[in-house]
């Protein structure tokens, strides 16, 4: 009985916290839309100008959408996580605006402290929602058709040490004699993540599945399926990845804001895999300096995937 009461109390507390964030978003959004210049000056920007007022109004609309989503939407956890991304953007915008037009140091300091407090509250709410509704697992899926046989596609992927050729986030993959693989990858904001993995399914020319083992920096699992493409156009490759990023769903939301969107990264990786199989190398963009290695070209991408 005590445990049930504690769980119910926590759930009610989370619901109240989330509702409060929704009301806060609506109130802030209404103020930013109605009086953008006043809000900008209160934040410490002495002369926001037309661009500053327009930006503040745009952020106000975003807050209104967040508030409506939190209070009326079914996916409250998703809406709260998008608020975290907005918080980071708000902090960056306030600092940039203050640097351009001059700022009242006292007001700027108070504004940044308030934004930090709001961000911490949003993170706490997102974590509570994640604990109550799911375990923070994220998923990325993508598919592509390559003009090669299933056997060729399977063999190239099955040699795991080939993966860094076309997966921008991977630095190295090593396979030891036991069959276990050791991975090192670039994580969000320049971090490095490492894990060991083992094969769970290996059907020649059809499917490869794997999962990380205990102690991984990022728990992950995935499946790659190879099937004949319609009309004899080669092989369709379908990839399904599941992972728990550092910081759970909250970490995924912040990484997305920084440009590290895993579904887009996976699509880019498959596009490069297609190039490697069909023409033997990753095609450089027109602006890439000649003589660069494939690894250097991949490193130029502004975004890195979460896991």
């Amino acid at each position: 009985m005590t445990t049930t009461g504690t769980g119910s109390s926590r759930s009610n507390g989370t619901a109240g916290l989330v509702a409060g964030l929704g009301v806060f978003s609506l109130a802030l959004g209404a103020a930013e839309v109605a009086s953008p210049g006043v809000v900008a000056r209160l934040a410490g920007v002495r002369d926001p100008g037309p661009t500053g007022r327009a930006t503040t109004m745009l952020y106000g609309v975003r807050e209104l959408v967040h508030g409506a989503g939190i209070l009326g939407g079914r996916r409250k956890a998703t809406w709260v996580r998008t608020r975290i991304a907005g918080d980071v953007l708000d902090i960056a915008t306030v600092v940039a605006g203050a640097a351009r037009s001059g700022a009242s140091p006292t007001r700027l300091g108070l504004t940044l402290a308030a934004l930090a407090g709001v961000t911490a509250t949003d993170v706490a709410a997102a974590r509570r929602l994640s604990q109550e509704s799911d375990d923070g697992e994220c998923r990325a899926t993508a598919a592509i058709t390559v003009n090669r046989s299933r056997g060729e596609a399977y063999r190239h992927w099955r040699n795991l040490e080939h993966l860094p050729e076309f997966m921008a986030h991977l630095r190295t993959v090593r396979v030891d004699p036991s069959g276990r693989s050791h991975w090192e990858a670039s994580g969000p904001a320049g971090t490095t993540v490492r894990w060991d993995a083992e094969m769970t399914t290996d059907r020649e020319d059809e499917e490869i599945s794997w999962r990380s083992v205990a102690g991984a920096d990022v728990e992950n699992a995935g499946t790659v399926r190879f099937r004949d493409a319609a009309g004899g156009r080669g092989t369709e490759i379908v990839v399904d990845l599941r992972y728990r990023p550092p910081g759970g769903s909250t970490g995924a939301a912040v990484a997305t804001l920084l440009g590290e969107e895993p579904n887009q990264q996976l699509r880019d990786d498959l596009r490069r895999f297609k190039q490697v199989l069909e023409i033997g190398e990753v095609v450089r963009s027109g602006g890439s300096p000649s003589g660069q290695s494939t690894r250097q070209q991949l490193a130029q991408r502004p975004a890195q995937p979460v896991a």
Side-chain angles (χ1 to χ4, degrees), residues 88-102:
V88 177
L89 187 59
D90 287 343
I91 292 171
T93 302
V94 167
V95 171
R100 281 197 305 270
S101 62

Side-chain angles (χ1 to χ4, degrees), residues 202-215:
D202 186 7
R203 292 202 297 269
E204 188 173 0
D205 301 348
E206 293 184 9
E207 181 179 322
I208 301 169
S209 296
W210 70 93
R211 66 184 175 198
S212 60
V213 300

